[in-house]
Amino acid sequence: MYVSARSDYALRAMLAVAAAGGGGDGDRVGELVKAASLAEVQDIPLSFLQGILLDLRRAGLLHSHRGADGGYALTRPADGITVGDVLRAVGGSLTTVRGLPAERAGYHGVAAGLTDVWLAVHGAIATVVDSTTLADLLTRNSTDHAPTTS
């Protein structure tokens, strides 16, 4: 699996929007986050981010509000959006072989067994990304960086 800048930026943007909305506590909308703010805070080129946000909106993961008070919000709680949802929204298939989805990679002869390997790799990746939600990542972040008391 190759994680492109587009996929990395999409996940970072979704986490920032989720954090502004309460991080999966059941709030549907939460605070609206402006694209320019996301770009600045996450150090993502704004023009690149706008295309990513459009893909996330088209995939039904974000909704947008126009106007001076507009911005982006999650369409559902952060505990209902997985890393896999985000990756598929901006990159398509999780695993590719020579630019094709793993299930379409065909081999013959001595290499025929490679198809099974690529499908197993795809399954393992899907298991991880489809069982990890934005809320899980936000929770990990808050506990990993919590101040220690002595």
Side-chain angles (χ1 to χ4, degrees), residues 50-142:
Q50 288 172 329
I52 293 168
L53 294 172
L54 180 62
D55 286 346
L56 294 168
R57 191 172 57 80
R58 285 181 180 155
L61 300 176
L62 287 178
H63 60 91
S64 61
H65 296 277
R66 294 181 183 207
D69 294 328
Y72 291 88
L74 301 180
T75 57
R76 56 187 189 257
D79 61 3
I81 299 174
T82 67
V83 170
D85 293 333
V86 177
L87 293 176
R88 288 181 187 94
V90 297
S93 182
L94 295 176
T95 311
T96 60
V97 179
R98 298 180 325 270
L100 296 172
E103 60 273 6
R104 292 188 46 212
Y107 298 95
H108 59 279
V110 296
L114 283 174
T115 300
D116 294 336
V117 171
W118 302 143
L119 291 174
V121 167
H122 178 80
I125 291 169
T127 297
V128 172
V129 300
D130 290 338
S131 64
T132 305
T133 67
L134 298 179
D136 294 334
L137 294 172
L138 291 173
T139 301
R140 285 183 200 159
N141 185 45
S142 66

